[in-house]
Amino acid sequence: MDLLRWLFDAQIPVGGSVLILREVLGNIFGLASAFGGMRRKVWAWPVGILGNLLLLTVFLGNVFGSATPATLWGQAGRQVMFIAVAAYGWRRWQQGRTAGGGSTAVVPQWAGNRTRLLLAGAMVAGTMALTPLFGALGSYPPVWADAWTFVGSLLATYGMARGWTEFWLTWVAVDIVGVPLLFSAGYYASAFMYLFYGFFTLAGFFVWWNASRRAAQAAGRHAAVETAFPDPRVKL
């Protein structure tokens, strides 16, 4: 109990302000999860869940008596969403690793034009639908930015679970709006971490892009071999 109370009360003095230890630790777990996701490792999901639990207590500032009292309902709600989608992604990647028999859990692939249009439409429609709700709950302004980061995070996490390379670009769109919002609300640790995420996600995009290209080339070579040397057990 004493350790839990210390975790909730601990602060790190920085200049004339303070950083909440839970916020720092939550973002460190989040960064580790993103690194694991870039390498397509199953452990990325449970590590991310630990970070989500910590950040949930941070963004409900008024509820938990945070040193930064601004409550961001979208940021808090997306931690709950992260946990739910992470459970789905964790299970899906475990199945993928078992089926593939390798160290990586998923083979990156492109979502396709139709899915991209659906994702973009869901991003805009979801933001418009949630903005008045978050506003009624008293979320920190601009409320649309809080809704944007919530919807974008949901779509990006789902895209990661499905193995779509485009999910990294969705994170970039989230960071472009989320970083200024977090700075203005006083969540400096999260703001700096998400600023770093912006560059990290671009690197992750190119890593997955190369992985999907190599997978497509390997599939093409396999198809060529099958065509040149058909399986004699298969009746034509």
Side-chain angles (χ1 to χ4, degrees):
M1 184 62 68
D2 290 340
L3 178 61
L4 186 61
R5 174 51 54 191
W6 172 82
L7 178 62
F8 267 79
D9 295 339
Q11 300 174 1
I12 304 173
V14 178
S17 184
V18 295
L19 297 178
I20 305 170
L21 179 62
R22 285 171 289 132
E23 184 181 4
V24 175
L25 292 176
N27 280 291
I28 290 175
F29 279 118
L31 179 59
S33 176
F35 179 73
M38 179 187 291
R39 299 183 62 199
R40 294 173 282 147
K41 301 296 185 181
V42 174
W43 57 257
W45 296 104
V47 169
I49 289 174
L50 290 176
N52 299 145
L53 289 171
L54 287 170
L55 291 175
L56 175 62
T57 69
V58 173
F59 291 120
L60 292 176
N62 290 328
V63 177
F64 286 93
S66 171
T68 305
T71 297
L72 294 174
W73 288 105
Q75 295 288 338
R78 78 176 188 156
Q79 306 307 319
V80 178
M81 174 273 300
F82 277 147
I83 295 171
V85 180
Y88 165 75
W90 190 354
R91 180 172 178 271
R92 185 179 178 89
W93 280 30
Q94 281 182 319
Q95 292 174 337
R97 185 178 63 180
T98 301
S103 59
T104 55
V106 66
V107 177
Q109 59 182 325
W110 295 101
N113 291 331
R114 182 175 180 275
T115 301
R116 291 178 194 136
L117 289 175
L118 289 174
L119 290 173
M123 188 87 162
V124 175
T127 300
M128 293 176 62
L130 290 178
T131 295
L133 173 60
F134 288 168
L137 291 172
S139 193
Y140 190 83
V143 181
W144 72 266
D146 201 16
W148 173 272
T149 58
F150 177 88
V151 176
S153 300
L154 170 62
L155 296 175
T157 307
Y158 178 72
M160 176 179 169
R162 295 296 302 270
W164 293 334
T165 304
E166 291 91 340
F167 94 87
W168 292 104
L169 298 180
T170 307
W171 274 126
V172 173
V174 169
D175 293 336
I176 289 174
V177 174
V179 169
L181 174 66
L182 291 167
F183 269 121
S184 66
Y187 291 105
Y188 300 114
S190 294
F192 278 113
M193 188 62 71
Y194 274 80
L195 182 61
F196 177 76
Y197 280 166
F199 298 100
F200 186 88
T201 50
L202 282 175
F205 170 71
F206 288 110
V207 169
W208 274 45
W209 185 358
N210 287 329
S212 64
R213 180 172 52 84
R214 290 194 300 268
Q217 291 173 347
R221 288 193 298 269
H222 180 74
V225 171
E226 287 292 323
T227 301
F229 303 99
D231 190 338
R233 295 170 296 179
V234 179
K235 294 182 179 181
L236 301 178

